[in-house]
């Protein structure tokens, strides 16, 4: 049995004490050790983006970080987006605009968009497309994802104002 | 696709990191952003026995200087630091322009400037910037720090002047003050993919002629190249499409291009001419 | 007001949006992890397998009594090749699973797998159909000495005379390179043994759970009742998850052998290597035309590289025989000569992928129309006007019967929407500035919702097609619909709920659709081939109608009214012309708890069964592109779809299917290609090399609808799952060809990569700088 390291992760504001091998990716730690299976693995080499989570507010690939590197960081995953049954504006917009089909890429797209919109709520259409080109979706053809994120951005801006 | 086991070291100072790396007997590897190393580890193409994680070294995460004096970029500065120009002038604008073609937004949040150079992927945009502008690399080890010019730093595909116990700690980019114009053109299958060919040009134009020029190409051979012979041709010429077309042909003659599944030698050579012409035209526009 | 026709947000979504989806990997907790040891070579004899001293490793030799996967086609030309679950004698494609390692975690299973050494005596691989069909070619399988696993031939009487007397013959040689359906979630299964019952439950990311159970239990020689297969949330399939793969047989075998729980979560590299491939086809066609552009006869030599094995259950006939039968597409001609071969090679098995052969055959017919138009000096739209089918039912030269469609009308609508004259003006203006714009048209048919009458014609040993549905209204008035179809992203549960709501009068949120569990659903075929809304929808509607009839009977009895006067709507049974009404839950309660008053069997439980002959959707795609002639890069400027899929149950879902299909079609047309090197190593094993489109490559579509009602579908809906993918490549590639028309070059290969486009321009008769 390879050596494990005891770490504490802060995920969605909750503390998780886990014992993990250094080689375990943050995605695997979230899924298997924290039981947060909303973060998905589609490629494990940083291209598809299904595992995108926020680390200290920035969207990153959870398959390209080791769990041990995430200690002391504020991690946010899809499970932390909704407030109970009240959906986040992005979740709501994805639902109302059919921004998902099989749903496998959805958590990654949501976290990508949350991070990007929190950094810059007033992205141009071109910037938005560019950011959303970071993740792959095989079902929707993207147009409803782009539309949902644009509408959610409007709502998030309105809420801030 | 889970990596092979490794020992994990997380230093908090450079001194500590250098000592740790020096103490690793074999197969030690420095981990910065991890956006290239970790995929290779997940495929088990890379299997370091020990990883020395630099992410705790905040001392390496700074950009200072400006376009007039040149800039010092700490090795751990993330690509995303250049999304907005971090200072004024042509150099900052160039960096902000180039960064948009580096992979995708989440990769740029995590990937580092120094990591890109140390990884030395032939298709790396930062490597092209360093080679074209003539960056100076600072390589530290327990024995001290040495500097290496970009021209001597890139040795081939994924190969640099770094010794196994050395860490690239900072990169100095020379000044590019007001009056310099810049052009960058990259062609890839989809935006964010590895460059099939790219070119970077900086020009000073005065009195209808090119007074000073730097031109480099990347993604076409085993390392980024500054094309001094083409620069010499361009000096003093009018910045016209005809001049640039001729420069493009010279560039094609100057580089022995490589082939991969996305571009044969013939196609890549063809692209090389196009990206050179377009980068020059953008700089002159 | 009806529920049908409304863009109801999907009932499936809240859980998925909250990260509470339930995919196969989410079931792996507590399982031992499995890694397959795969052949590094494309072909060779297994000399020996060296296992590590410690750790759980199994090989084919351990699988005593486990039979091969052997799909059957009752055709004289079919060569049945069995696929050993783990081979002991030879490997026939790179990535073929040879052994299996089991450990506490996926990482440790990979560690263990690395210590297994498979000694293979290499044989030079046969990788493409040219090599396989060469006169002196080695046989990939001894069962098929000619390397042809299936072959269809047909020549209509009068073919030769018609060609001889034609005004012009137009020839094309087209190639579709190998591609992957590439669902975002790879394959995977978790098998657990239950000590109490001796049964195994296999949770797997599949499209056909019932079929998988049959296939696995046949290989293992156990009764079906010993295995339960569950398809949980499935992260996309697109056909790749239809077939039975050896890995699933091994998982069930392992669970029984170890009396425990084992998980295999495929990684992306394996998915590229050893899941199914598709689209590897070369078509050579000759169209004989009259001077006025009428297509008189078509000759076709169609070759499909079906890879190393035949896929179960639909067999390797799926691509070649679909191409054979449906090449004529939406065009009217009577003389047809065709030869279509499925050729076996040392490459990954080819299996259905969204569209199956039709992306290539549509590319073929639409290139043929454009090329003939150019050759005959006829407008590209006019030549289609001359040849599209307009009288229904239409019978094709291969005997395929097309029900009512709007082929011509859909094209006219698309042409009008696009405003081609305005485009031509822009195109001419752009050319003056050295920019190359192009416009491409694609008209096509999409055979959807076909049941056993059609599948039986293919002479498959297993004839799929029908669907069954069990519908129960519980005493609280809520409805549970148990279906044999197995949706995985299509929103079928929402669409079916809308259908049910309109019949039984409760809101869709009170309708729960249960799918993907062999213990909980009637035997059915799953979700593939644009079939679910037609067939499962049809069965659901029939069951719902029966349930509504019973509800009306109960209401009539309880309210002392005539059954015909009862309307079920908004949660009530109302008596027409009166203000008498009863809430539906009260009727339901009465059905169960006051049955003695009703004089009919208690409860509300109805079944529906539907097995239609199928119905054709149709569409026209028009694409505008700009080609960068210096790099070969293509940018899609505009994409218009006029779709006719009959009655649209949920417009938002239908448009989503179209948009997703078109995106895949764009990927197929321009970006996606699986590449083997000469030694048989697959070079495209990562998403850095296999390139599906991103949000930057896919434009916002303009989608218009037509609604031709077909008697062939009880819901009046036609299928829409594959059309986008079928039509888009032809539209894109015709547009590229149009953009490059000044150079006189042809676009004959899909994907038209920048390198191919640039090479065509470089080799053009007209130089690039002219």
């Amino acid at each position: 049995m390879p050596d494990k390291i005891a770490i504490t992760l802060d995920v969605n504001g909750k503390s998780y004490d886990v014992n993990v091998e250094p080689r375990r990716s943050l995605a695997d730690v979230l899924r298997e050790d924290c039981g947060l299976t909303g973060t998905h693995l589609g490629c494990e080499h940083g291209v598809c983006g299904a595992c995108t989570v926020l680390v200290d507010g920035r969207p990153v690939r959870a398959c390209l970080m080791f769990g041990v590197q995430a200690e002391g960081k504020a991690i946010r995953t899809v499970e932390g987006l909704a407030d109970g049954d009240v959906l986040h504006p992005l979740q709501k917009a994805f639902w109302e605009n059919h921004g998902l089909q099989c749903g496998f890429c959805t958590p990654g797209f949501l976290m990508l968009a949350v991070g990007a919109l929190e950094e810059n709520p007033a992205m141009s259409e071109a910037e938005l497309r560019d950011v959303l080109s970071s993740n792959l979706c095989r079902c929707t053809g993207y147009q409803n994802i782009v539309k949902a994120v644009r509408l959610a951005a409007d709502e998030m801006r309105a809420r801030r104002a | 696709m889970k990596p092979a086991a490794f020992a994990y070291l997380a230093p908090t100072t450079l001194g500590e990191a250098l000592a740790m790396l020096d103490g690793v007997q074999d197969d030690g590897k420095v981990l910065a952003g991890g956006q290239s190393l970790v995929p290779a580890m997940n495929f088990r193409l890379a299997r370091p026995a020990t990883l020395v994680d630099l992410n705790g070294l905040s001392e390496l995460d700074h950009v200072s200087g400006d376009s007039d004096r040149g800039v010092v970029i700490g090795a751990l500065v993330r690509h995303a630091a250049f999304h907005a120009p971090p200072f004024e002038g042509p150099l900052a604008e160039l960096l902000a322009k180039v960064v948009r073609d580096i992979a995708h937004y989440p990769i740029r949040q995590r990937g580092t400037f120094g990591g890109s150079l140390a990884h030395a992927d032939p298709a790396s945009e930062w490597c092209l910037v360093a080679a074209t502008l003539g960056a100076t690399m600072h390589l530290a080890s327990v024995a001290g720090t040495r500097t290496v010019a970009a021209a001597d730093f890139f040795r081939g595909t994924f190969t640099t002047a770094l010794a196994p116990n050395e860490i690239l700690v900072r990169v100095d980019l020379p000044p590019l003050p007001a009056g310099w114009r810049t052009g960058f053109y990259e062609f890839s299958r989809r935006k964010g993919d590895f460059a099939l060919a790219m070119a970077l040009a900086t020009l000073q134009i005065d009195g209808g002629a090119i007074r000073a020029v730097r031109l480099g190409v990347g993604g076409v051979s085993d390392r980024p190249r500054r094309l001094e012979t083409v620069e010499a041709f361009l000096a003093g010429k009018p910045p016209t499409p005809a001049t640039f077309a001729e420069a493009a042909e010279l560039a094609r003659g100057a580089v022995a291009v490589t082939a991969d599944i996305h571009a044969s030698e013939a196609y890549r050579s063809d692209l090389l001419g196009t990206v050179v012409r377009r980068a020059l035209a953008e700089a002159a526009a | 007001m009806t529920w049908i026709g409304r863009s109801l947000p999907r009932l499936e979504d809240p859980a998925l949006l909250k990260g509470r989806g339930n995919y196969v990997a989410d079931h792996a907790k507590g399982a031992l992890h499995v890694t397959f040891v795969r052949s590094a070579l494309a072909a060779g004899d297994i000399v020996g397998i060296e296992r590590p001293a410690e750790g759980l490793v199994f090989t084919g030799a351990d699988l005593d009594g486990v039979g091969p996967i052997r799909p059957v086609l009752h055709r004289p030309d079919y060569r049945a090749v069995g696929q050993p679950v783990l081979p002991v004698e030879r490997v026939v494609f790179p990535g073929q699973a040879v052994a299996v390692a089991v450990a506490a975690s996926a990482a440790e299973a990979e560690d263990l797998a690395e210590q297994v050494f498979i000694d293979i005596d290499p044989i030079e691989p046969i990788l493409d159909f040219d090599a396989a069909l060469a006169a002196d070619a080695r046989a990939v399988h001894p069962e098929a000495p000619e390397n042809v696993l299936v072959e269809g031939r047909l020549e209509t009487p009068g073919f030769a005379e018609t060609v001889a007397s034609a005004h012009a013959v137009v020839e094309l040689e087209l190639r579709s390179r190998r591609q992957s359906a590439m669902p975002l979630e790879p394959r995977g299964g978790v098998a657990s043994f239950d000590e109490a019952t001796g049964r195994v439950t296999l949770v797997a990311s599949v499209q056909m759970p019932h079929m998988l159970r049959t296939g696995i239990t046949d290989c293992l020689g156990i009764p079906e009742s010993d295995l339960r297969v569950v398809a949980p949330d499935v992260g996309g399939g697109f056909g790749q998850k239809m077939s039975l793969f050896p890995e699933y047989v091994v998982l069930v075998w392992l669970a029984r052998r170890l009396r425990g729980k084992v998980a295999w979560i495929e990684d992306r590299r394996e998915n590229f290597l050893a899941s199914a491939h598709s689209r590897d086809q070369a078509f050579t066609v000759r169209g004989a035309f009259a001077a006025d552009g009428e297509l008189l006869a078509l000759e076709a030599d169609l070759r499909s590289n079906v890879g190393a094995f035949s896929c179960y259950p639909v067999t390797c006939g799926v691509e070649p025989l679909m191409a054979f039968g449906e090449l004529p597409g939406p065009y009217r001609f009577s003389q047809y000569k065709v030869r279509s071969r499925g050729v076996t090679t040392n490459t990954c098995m080819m299996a259905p992928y969204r569209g199956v052969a039709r992306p290539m055959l549509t590319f073929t017919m639409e290139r043929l129309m454009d090329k003939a138009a150019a050759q005959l000096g006829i407008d590209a739209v006019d030549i289609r006007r001359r040849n599209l089918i307009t009288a229904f039912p239409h019978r094709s030269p291969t005997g395929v019967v097309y029900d009512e469609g709007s082929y011509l009308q859909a094209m006219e609508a698309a042409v009008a929407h696009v405003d081609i004259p305005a485009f031509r003006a822009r195109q001419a203006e752009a050319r003056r500035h050295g920019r190359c714009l192009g416009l491409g048209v694609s008209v096509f048919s999409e055979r959807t919702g076909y049941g056993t009458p059609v599948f039986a014609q293919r002479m498959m040993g297993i004839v799929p097609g029908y669907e069954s549905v069990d519908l129960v209204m519980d005493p609280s008035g809520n409805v549970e619909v148990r279906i044999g179809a197995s949706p995985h992203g299509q929103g079928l549960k929402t669409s079916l709920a809308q259908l049910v709501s309109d019949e039984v009068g409760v809101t869709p949120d009170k309708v729960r659709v249960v799918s993907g569990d062999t213990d909980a659903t009637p035997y059915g075929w799953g979700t593939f081939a644009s079939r679910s809304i037609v067939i499962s929808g049809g069965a659901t509607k029939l069951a719902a109608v029966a349930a509504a009839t019973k509800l009306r009977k109960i209401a009539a009895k309880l309210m002392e009214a005539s059954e015909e006067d009862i309307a079920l709507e908004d949660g009530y049974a109302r008596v027409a012309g009166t203000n008498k009404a009863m809430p539906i839950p009260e009727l339901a309660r009465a059905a169960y708890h006051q049955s003695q008053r009703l004089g009919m069997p208690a409860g509300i439980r109805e079944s529906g069964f539907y097995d239609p002959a199928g119905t054709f959707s149709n569409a026209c795609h028009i694409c505008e592109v700009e080609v960068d002639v210096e790099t070969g890069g293509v940018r899609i400027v505009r994409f218009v779809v006029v779709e006719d899929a009959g009655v649209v149950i949920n417009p938002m879902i239908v448009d989503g299917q179209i948009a997703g299909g078109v995106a895949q079609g764009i990927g197929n047309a321009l970006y996606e290609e699986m590449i083997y090197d000469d030694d048989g190593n697959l070079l495209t094993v990562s998403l850095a090399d296999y390139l599906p489109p991103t949000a930057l490559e896919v434009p916002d579509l303009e989608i218009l609808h037509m609604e031709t009602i077909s008697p062939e579908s009880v819901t009046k809906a036609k299928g829409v799952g594959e059309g986008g993918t079928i039509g888009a490549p032809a539209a894109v590639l015709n547009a590229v060809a149009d953009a490059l028309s000044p150079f006189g070059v042809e676009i004959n290969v899909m994907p038209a990569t920048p390198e191919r486009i640039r090479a065509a321009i470089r080799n053009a008769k007209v130089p690039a700088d002219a």
Side-chain angles (χ1 to χ4, degrees), chain C residues 198-218:
Chain C
R199 298 179 83 208
V200 172
T201 296
L202 174 69
V203 178
S205 186
V206 297
Q207 296 174 235
M208 296 177 104
H210 288 278
M211 193 64 256
L212 195 72
R213 181 168 77 155
T214 297
I216 293 170
T217 53
D218 278 354

Side-chain angles (χ1 to χ4, degrees), chain A residues 22-23 28 41 43-46 58-61 63-66 68-69 112 115-116 119 130-131 133-134, chain B residues 1-6 8 31 35 38-39 41-44 51 53 55 104-110 191:
Chain A
R23 64 168 155 173
D28 279 340
L41 285 167
C43 77
E44 296 180 279
H45 52 280
R58 298 306 173 105
V60 302
R61 307 299 203 211
C63 71
L64 298 188
M65 256 183 97
F66 297 110
V68 291
Q69 294 185 283
L112 170 70
E119 186 195 3
D130 190 59
V131 166
S133 77
S134 306
Chain B
M1 275 179 53
K2 313 294 182 191
F6 56 83
Y8 175 75
L31 174 64
Q35 304 299 286
V38 179
M41 290 173 67
N42 289 355
F43 276 105
R44 297 201 177 195
L51 276 189
D53 185 354
N55 284 283
H104 290 100
Y105 181 83
I107 303 294
R108 299 195 294 263
Q109 305 297 333
R110 188 85 190 141
K191 185 164 180 296

Side-chain angles (χ1 to χ4, degrees), chain A residues 83-138:
Chain A
D83 183 3
D85 280 336
V86 180
L87 297 179
H88 184 279
L90 269 160
Q91 291 171 311
K92 190 163 158 280
F94 269 63
W95 191 18
E96 290 171 351
N97 295 285
H98 193 28
L100 67 156
Q101 290 184 22
C102 82
F104 196 76
C105 73
T106 310
F109 266 102
L110 289 170
M111 299 319 289
L112 170 70
V114 169
L117 290 178
E118 285 180 0
E119 186 195 3
N120 179 8
M123 270 186 284
S124 69
E125 178 77 16
E127 286 172 311
L128 189 65
R129 280 251 174 204
D130 190 59
V131 166
L132 294 177
S133 77
S134 306
N135 286 13
L136 295 176
C137 168
R138 196 60 162 162

Side-chain angles (χ1 to χ4, degrees), chain B residues 1 47 190 264 267 270 278, chain C residues 110 628 631 692 755 758:
Chain B
M1 275 179 53
R47 40 197 320 154
R190 302 165 306 180
S264 63
Y267 175 56
D270 198 27
R278 291 184 178 183
Chain C
E110 285 187 43
D628 180 340
T631 61
E755 168 153 19
R758 186 64 195 144

Side-chain angles (χ1 to χ4, degrees), chain C residues 622-680:
Chain C
I622 296 185
C623 175
E624 181 185 333
V625 301
E626 176 164 0
V627 180
D628 180 340
V629 295
E630 292 181 331
T631 61
V634 176
R635 184 172 67 90
I636 296 178
V637 178
R638 188 179 186 195
F639 204 107
V640 173
V641 174
V642 176
E643 178 78 34
D644 189 339
V647 167
V648 170
I649 310 287
N650 182 318
M652 193 163 73
I653 287 176
V654 167
D655 285 358
Q657 287 295 307
I658 294 167
V662 167
Q664 290 189 9
I666 288 170
N668 295 169
L670 297 174
Y671 298 100
E672 300 179 29
E673 181 170 1
M674 309 288 282
I675 302 171
Y676 287 99
D677 71 11
D678 292 344
D679 297 323

Side-chain angles (χ1 to χ4, degrees), chain A residues 43-61:
Chain A
C43 77
E44 296 180 279
H45 52 280
V47 183
C48 80
C51 68
T52 305
V53 299
L54 299 187
V55 174
D56 287 343
R58 298 306 173 105
V60 302
R61 307 299 203 211

Side-chain angles (χ1 to χ4, degrees), chain B residues 9 16-26 28 50 52 142 164-165:
Chain B
L9 302 174
E16 207 186 337
L18 293 170
M20 283 175 174
L21 187 60
D22 201 62
V24 175
Q25 290 307 307
D26 50 18
T50 302
V52 180
V142 285
N165 70 338

